[in-house]
Amino acid sequence: MKVVPFTALFLGAMTLCGCTETLQKINSDLATINQSMSKLPTSSSAMATPVEQNTKTQVDIPADKKIEDAYNAALPTIKKILTIHQCVKVDDGMSQLNIYALPGVRMQTTSSGVTYPNSKYHMKYHDRNKCVGVRAIDSFAMPALNALNFRAVYFAEDSGETISFSYQLSRTGEGQWLLSAGPWPKY
């Protein structure tokens, strides 16, 4: 599948169905969350400084009503998770995602690999004091009625490096979508 024609087709379909407003809202919300994060009293050693992203985040939701409904319900949590995850710069910073995890699930860097995009391991030339951008959100799937998986592609504006991470969310009995596993790099 060629990227350029698909992107043009996707953007054309989004425009025709009125979804342009949805994309603009997502990008606006991510920018607002980034601004809010810069004012949080977090440890400066754990989180990087948010930077303005030069490109819009591309969201590719399959034409499946079940996945679209789950995505719309999970969107507030997804925005918060990605906004935090893109700015983590040390292992301890992963704990800031615990508020968006199911009880008993702990967000941390594991011995098997680094689990945040803004790391020396994934981005060798990027200034880790700056957040990375979210370039795309795609590869949505629902392995169960209460589970939603997706991929986020991160991009460092200063170095051009990219890394993708997979996410797994589960819906609680109260209808809230939370991380059911830590994010992991997708190569």
Side-chain angles (χ1 to χ4, degrees):
M1 174 165 68
K2 293 184 179 180
V3 175
V4 175
F6 178 76
T7 302
L9 177 65
F10 175 74
L11 290 174
M14 295 296 281
T15 302
L16 288 175
C17 74
C19 298
T20 303
E21 294 171 7
T22 302
L23 287 174
Q24 290 171 343
K25 175 124 176 67
I26 290 169
N27 282 307
S28 171
D29 288 347
L30 284 173
T32 302
I33 293 170
N34 279 339
Q35 289 172 352
S36 299
M37 289 245 342
S38 67
K39 298 173 187 169
L40 289 176
T42 58
S43 168
S44 62
S45 63
M47 300 297 285
T49 304
V51 295
E52 190 157 333
Q53 193 170 314
N54 291 333
T55 59
K56 300 291 183 192
T57 302
Q58 180 179 346
V59 180
D60 184 13
I61 305 167
D64 179 328
K65 182 73 172 140
K66 176 179 66 168
I67 293 175
E68 183 181 347
D69 290 346
Y71 168 76
N72 287 329
L75 186 57
T77 302
I78 291 171
K79 289 178 192 175
K80 292 171 186 170
I81 289 167
L82 296 180
T83 300
I84 291 170
H85 200 220
Q86 75 186 61
C87 293
V88 172
K89 68 176 186 175
V90 296
D91 296 354
D92 294 342
M94 288 298 293
S95 65
Q96 295 196 37
L97 288 172
N98 286 335
I99 193 169
Y100 302 108
L102 290 171
V105 175
R106 193 167 146 223
M107 298 298 122
Q108 62 185 9
T109 293
T110 64
S111 59
S112 61
V114 178
T115 57
Y116 53 95
N118 191 8
S119 72
K120 187 175 186 177
Y121 179 77
H122 297 303
M123 300 207 176
K124 296 178 182 175
Y125 306 103
H126 170 63
D127 177 357
R128 256 160 294 298
N129 293 313
K130 298 177 182 173
C131 299
V132 294
V134 180
R135 182 58 60 96
I137 306 168
D138 59 16
S139 300
F140 287 92
M142 288 188 74
L145 294 176
N146 63 342
L148 179 67
N149 297 340
F150 68 95
R151 176 184 81 136
V153 179
Y154 292 96
F155 178 76
E157 296 284 344
D158 59 350
S159 66
E161 295 168 283
T162 64
I163 182 73
S164 298
F165 275 81
S166 293
Y167 296 84
Q168 182 179 341
L169 301 174
S170 291
R171 187 177 55 229
T172 66
E174 295 81 35
Q176 186 179 15
W177 287 90
L178 298 173
L179 287 164
S180 53
W184 63 94
K186 187 172 184 174
Y187 301 104

